[in-house]
Amino acid sequence: MPQVAWEYATVPLLPGSAKQILDSWGADGWELVQVVVNPANPEQLVAYFKRALPA
């Protein structure tokens, strides 16, 4: 069974644009893994995405 390799991205979620940003990344094949508070700026959220690399 082949092993899947992944690539990852972190994306700041801008206030008022979060849904648009998430939809855009999802349309490009990225899967949302988690959303966390940015430790450097507690007023900002950061989204973590992953997607499989081509075999």
Side-chain angles (χ1 to χ4, degrees), residues 1 7 11-12 18 24-25 28-30 32 34-35 49:
M1 180 176 235
E7 65 179 322
V11 180
S24 176
W25 281 78
D28 287 338
W30 291 91
L32 179 65
Q34 186 174 15
V35 175
F49 293 92

Side-chain angles (χ1 to χ4, degrees), residues 1-20:
M1 180 176 235
Q3 185 174 359
V4 177
W6 300 95
E7 65 179 322
Y8 299 91
T10 56
V11 180
L13 296 179
L14 305 174
S17 300
K19 181 180 178 341
Q20 196 172 20

Side-chain angles (χ1 to χ4, degrees), residues 31-43:
E31 178 181 354
L32 179 65
V33 177
Q34 186 174 15
V35 175
V36 299
V37 174
N38 182 347
N41 180 0
E43 296 180 12

